[in-house]
Amino acid sequence: MTNKIDKIEKKEYENVVELWESSVRATHHFLKEEDIEYFKPQILNTYLDAVELRCIRNNDKKIVGFLGVADQNLEMLFIHPEYRGKRIGKTLLDYSIDHLDVTKVDVNEQNEQAVGFYKHCGFETIKRSELDSSGKPYPTLHMELKK
């Protein structure tokens, strides 16, 4: 695997949502089943078109990690559970900072691994919201890249 950054085509959105779901099930243990079912069609039909998407593929050209960026905000970064710990997230994050001007990320406070990852990569919490952007009761940390 080369960890080369690639673009995602619309015809691949179903695969992206499958990856999103397996990643969320492996890391977002605080989410309820109905929340996952609520977000799935939103991601497929709305969120993916609203962001600049990039991915990393394995040797079989299958997407194993992806990110989405809008307005310098990292809106999504998800890695397939079988590929976690292989620097894919770090490679995608670095790319988003260097090429897509990312300076901010919102993270579920309960996703402690992600919070730790972003802190390790130079982000700091500047604000906290009780609700997520959908108004669901999942506290969100608003993090910014330290200058």
Side-chain angles (χ1 to χ4, degrees):
M1 213 167 61
T2 61
N3 281 7
K4 183 175 104 40
I5 306 293
D6 200 7
K7 293 193 172 175
I8 297 175
E9 294 181 40
K10 202 166 173 77
K11 66 179 193 234
E12 298 178 290
Y13 280 11
E14 290 281 347
N15 303 352
V16 169
V17 173
E18 283 171 28
L19 189 157
W20 170 84
E21 183 175 358
S22 57
S23 175
V24 162
R25 290 188 184 282
T27 55
H28 292 56
H29 305 292
F30 53 90
L31 283 181
K32 298 185 187 89
E33 185 61 35
E34 60 259 31
D35 292 322
I36 292 173
E37 294 307 319
Y38 166 84
F39 284 116
K40 250 166 79 169
Q42 305 255 357
I43 288 171
L44 182 61
N45 301 318
T46 308
Y47 296 169
L48 293 179
D49 281 330
V51 294
E52 183 125 2
L53 289 167
R54 295 291 185 278
C55 71
I56 289 180
R57 300 171 190 275
N58 66 11
N59 296 335
D60 300 327
K61 303 281 179 249
K62 190 172 174 310
I63 296 171
V64 296
F66 76 93
L67 62 72
V69 172
D71 302 323
Q72 298 184 292
N73 201 46
L74 182 62
E75 298 289 346
M76 43 185 93
L77 174 62
F78 292 96
I79 311 303
H80 190 284
E82 289 170 27
Y83 289 86
R84 288 177 62 208
K86 297 185 182 347
R87 302 197 56 78
I88 292 172
K90 178 83 173 102
T91 302
L92 283 166
L93 179 63
D94 288 347
Y95 178 90
S96 76
I97 292 167
D98 296 340
H99 299 278
L100 302 173
D101 300 323
V102 161
T103 58
K104 305 175 293 236
V105 63
D106 293 340
V107 191
N108 289 109
E109 186 176 56
Q110 292 150 293
N111 187 350
E112 290 169 10
Q113 282 176 319
V115 172
F117 169 74
Y118 291 115
K119 279 185 179 163
H120 176 76
C121 293
F123 285 79
E124 60 190 349
T125 302
I126 52 160
K127 205 170 96 193
R128 179 184 185 275
S129 302
E130 272 306 312
L131 306 174
D132 71 9
S133 58
S134 307
K136 293 188 175 287
Y138 299 112
T140 301
L141 299 179
H142 307 282
M143 302 180 83
E144 224 167 69
L145 197 55
K146 289 184 226 165
K147 300 287 177 253

